Structure formats: C-alpha cells, structure tokens
Amino acid sequence: MKDMLLEVDAETFQLSTMNGLIFNVEPFDITICCTWTPTASIEIKKSTNGIICINLENHQKVRVTKI
C-alpha cells in the first residue's frame, strides 16, 4: 500500500501516514526513519519478517507493526 509520511515521533517510536494510519517502529530502526521528510512517498507491505515501511525516495526500509 502506497501512502505519504506525515510524521515520525522519535520519543514514542511511532510513524504516522497522511491516511491516518499509525505504526510502531522497531526501536533499532527509529534512527533511520526519523530523518525522513514529511510528505515522503512510502510503501507499507508484508515481508517474510513482518511488515516493512519503505521510503520510495531513498529506498530505506524500517520494520513496523500496525497499531
């Protein structure tokens, strides 16, 4: 599912999308996505290791769980 990034909260480890979805980011991955800019194009998809969020602008990936 493609979406746009709204916000990454480094204190709560949460990633929010423009469509109102909220995900918990794995603590080890928070330093990766906290540098992503708001309105970045992202894709949320299932992988063999769970759910991943991919920044389509720089191809970085983080592991997330849906709230």
Side-chain angles (χ1 to χ4, degrees):
M1 164 186 69
K2 293 187 179 178
D3 204 340
M4 292 183 80
L5 179 66
L6 176 63
E7 171 184 41
V8 174
D9 189 327
E11 292 181 14
T12 62
F13 302 104
Q14 291 184 342
L15 179 148
S16 304
T17 71
M18 292 286 193
N19 287 333
L21 299 174
I22 301 174
F23 296 89
N24 282 328
V25 178
E26 290 291 326
F28 292 112
D29 292 343
I30 195 69
T31 57
I32 296 169
C33 62
C34 71
T35 61
W36 296 357
T37 57
T39 70
S41 295
I42 59 173
E43 182 175 9
I44 309 291
K45 64 182 189 177
K46 291 184 180 180
S47 75
T48 56
N49 296 330
I51 303 171
I52 59 170
C53 176
I54 305 166
N55 184 328
L56 299 175
E57 296 174 359
N58 60 19
H59 307 288
Q60 293 177 323
K61 300 176 185 176
V62 296
R63 294 164 293 166
V64 297
T65 53
K66 191 166 191 290
I67 295 180

